[in-house]
Amino acid sequence: MEGTRLMPLAFEWLGIAEGATNDARGALALVGVGQSVVVAGSFPHREQRAIIVLAGDEAGDTLTDTTLIDLDISLLAPSGRILFANHQTMNMANATNPAGIPPEVTGKGFQILNLLMMEVTEYGRHVLTATIAVAGIEPQTKTRNIYVVRPPAA
């Protein structure tokens, strides 16, 4: 693809699911994807969600075996109260190639799965924010809303 410019590191997706696991190939398998509504009959209300961060490096020159990835995740209540905040720095794992991908396929990427035990104490729109940062690249942020609602009337 001469003349086509490949994208540097891009924060591709911030996902919410009820659960996650790996299938027999090692691929991420999600259950209940997009579950952004929490029905709470009383407070405090606790539920677990899987938070998924996917990032890609089409050019294959940003992510190396020595790349450090900073990830910040937070959950903010409608009142502005911080319900959850986490920072972690991770090393890029050594690349393996069990599928025999040819060397001309330069794309690399990573997926990070974070299990979040939410404890909510109010109804309304809660904002989940994730920021990834890698040296030499502008930090990238994505947000998702999680709505806490009352159960339907019987």
Side-chain angles (χ1 to χ4, degrees):
M1 292 200 270
E2 194 172 321
T4 301
R5 185 174 181 276
L6 297 175
M7 294 295 295
L9 183 67
F11 189 161
E12 296 173 349
W13 188 56
L14 172 62
I16 301 171
E18 290 179 342
T21 189
N22 291 94
D23 68 14
R25 300 166 297 155
L28 183 63
L30 303 174
V31 177
V33 176
Q35 297 299 311
S36 59
V37 175
V38 172
V39 178
S42 62
F43 294 122
H45 180 82
R46 293 173 190 89
E47 273 190 34
Q48 181 173 294
R49 288 290 189 266
I51 308 303
I52 307 96
V53 170
L54 297 178
D57 172 16
E58 288 182 5
D61 57 4
T62 302
L63 298 176
T64 68
D65 294 347
T66 60
T67 301
L68 293 178
I69 302 159
D70 287 313
L71 172 65
D72 291 293
I73 297 178
S74 64
L75 181 63
L76 201 62
S79 64
R81 188 166 67 99
I82 298 170
L83 300 178
F84 175 86
N86 180 272
H87 170 84
Q88 47 190 317
T89 300
M90 296 154 281
N91 288 359
M92 188 67 185
N94 286 330
T96 59
N97 193 2
I101 298 169
E104 62 270 12
V105 177
T106 59
K108 295 180 183 176
F110 62 83
Q111 56 192 20
I112 299 169
L113 174 65
N114 201 327
L115 295 179
L116 170 64
M117 181 52 77
M118 297 187 312
E119 180 177 285
V120 295
T121 57
E122 58 188 287
Y123 295 110
R125 181 177 63 96
H126 294 63
V127 180
L128 175 70
T129 303
T131 301
I132 58 172
V134 172
I137 303 289
E138 188 73 25
Q140 298 177 49
T141 300
K142 290 207 177 285
T143 61
R144 294 288 305 263
N145 294 323
I146 298 175
Y147 297 91
V148 178
V149 300
R150 291 177 174 82

